[in-house]
Amino acid sequence: GALVYQYPRRTICKSGTSMRMECQAVGFQATSVAWYRQSPQKTFELIALSTVNSAIKYEQNFTQEKFPISHPNLSFSSMTVLNAYLEDRGLYLCGARETGGGSDYTFGSGTRLLVI
Amino acid sequence: GEQVEQLPSILRVQEGSSASINCSYEDSASNYFPWYKQEPGENPKLIIDIRSNMERKQIQELIVLLDKKAKRFSLHITDTQPGDSAMYFCAASWNYAQGLTFGLGTRVSVFP
């Protein structure tokens, strides 16, 4: 079946530093990868949508300068939170899907970021 | 872009009764509607979904209904159990170029 491995599962970083999270798709081709953030007590916000061989589309309030994303092939994507501060804490999820496989995304296990 | 409204935000139900969560969307082109369950401290898990070519889908005690004309969809948990206590999120999508738009979530608590 389709699986998405996301790591690290949990991480702590000091305020002002950066951290990188990665997603690996297994069993399907991750044509599209969506990165979401769930801030404490909130719903999931789409940060950006990455499609292989296309430009990465960032949602309002999120920028490439703050959340650079790499999607070099059909099985891997990474996102970095640059210069993390308290408001960046939360659960980050990657979801991947394959074109032609319906609209359902397979989600990773999430990376819970704590900023101290 | 798509907007999804989810109500209620909090739902308390007695064990054995039914719980219903309602969502509405704005983009008539949306064609995929998944529901996620999130336990405290965990990532969301897909529990059931419905596509626009269906009006009703059931998996065990979970029933989802879709009214495309009204642009509404709903989740019904029949015979609720303590293990059903969690956050539930609805979402909508119309194609992969859009991603999923989530509702704000419903906190379901099942009491004895």
Side-chain angles (χ1 to χ4, degrees):
Chain A
L3 292 172
V4 173
Y5 292 103
Q6 184 173 352
Y7 35 86
R9 190 75 184 264
R10 288 182 173 82
T11 188
I12 301 173
C13 68
K14 292 183 69 174
S15 180
T17 64
S18 301
M19 71 81 53
R20 170 182 153 121
M21 55 195 81
E22 301 179 344
C23 276
Q24 185 86 32
V26 177
F28 70 106
Q29 294 183 324
T31 313
S32 293
V33 175
W35 287 91
Y36 296 85
R37 179 176 71 186
Q38 183 189 37
S39 300
Q41 308 303 319
K42 293 188 177 179
T43 191
F44 297 89
E45 296 177 278
L46 179 63
I47 296 171
L49 194 62
S50 172
T51 304
V52 170
N53 299 325
S54 295
I56 298 171
K57 181 186 172 188
Y58 285 83
E59 294 294 296
Q60 198 172 15
N61 301 325
F62 297 98
T63 65
Q64 182 180 7
E65 290 70 32
K66 174 71 175 177
F67 301 97
I69 290 169
S70 171
H71 188 184
N73 55 53
L74 291 172
S75 63
F76 180 83
S77 179
S78 67
M79 184 178 75
T80 302
V81 180
L82 293 176
N83 201 17
Y85 285 101
L86 190 62
E87 58 266 25
D88 295 319
R89 74 189 194 279
L91 179 69
Y92 290 81
L93 279 185
C94 69
R97 59 153 285 169
E98 181 173 4
T99 307
S103 299
D104 44 328
Y105 279 80
T106 300
F107 285 103
S109 56
T111 296
R112 192 166 292 277
L113 173 63
L114 179 63
V115 182
I116 59 173
Chain B
E2 175 66 285
Q3 300 283 333
V4 174
E5 183 179 23
Q6 181 173 349
L7 292 171
S9 56
I10 298 173
L11 183 59
R12 295 186 73 249
V13 295
Q14 189 166 29
E15 183 176 349
S17 65
S18 296
S20 296
I21 304 171
N22 299 295
C23 289
S24 60
Y25 59 99
E26 293 187 357
D27 192 340
S28 57
S30 289
N31 58 11
Y32 176 66
F33 309 93
W35 287 87
Y36 293 89
K37 177 181 179 182
Q38 187 180 26
E39 309 274 5
E42 298 295 326
N43 64 301
K45 292 182 176 59
L46 177 67
I47 54 174
I48 192 169
D49 57 14
I50 190 167
R51 298 185 188 277
S52 59
N53 60 350
M54 301 175 68
E55 294 180 348
R56 184 183 189 278
K57 183 175 180 179
Q58 181 168 1
I59 298 177
Q60 297 180 332
E61 78 281 4
L62 302 176
I63 300 171
V64 288
L65 303 176
L66 172 62
D67 183 340
K68 287 181 291 184
K69 284 187 177 179
K71 291 188 282 188
R72 293 177 186 165
F73 57 113
S74 57
L75 172 69
H76 306 271
I77 308 171
T78 60
D79 189 22
T80 53
Q81 300 298 311
D84 295 323
S85 295
M87 281 290 290
Y88 291 81
F89 293 92
C90 64
S93 171
W94 67 277
N95 71 31
Y96 72 91
Q98 184 194 36
L100 290 170
T101 301
F102 286 83
L104 293 181
T106 298
R107 183 172 299 282
V108 174
S109 297
V110 180
F111 61 93

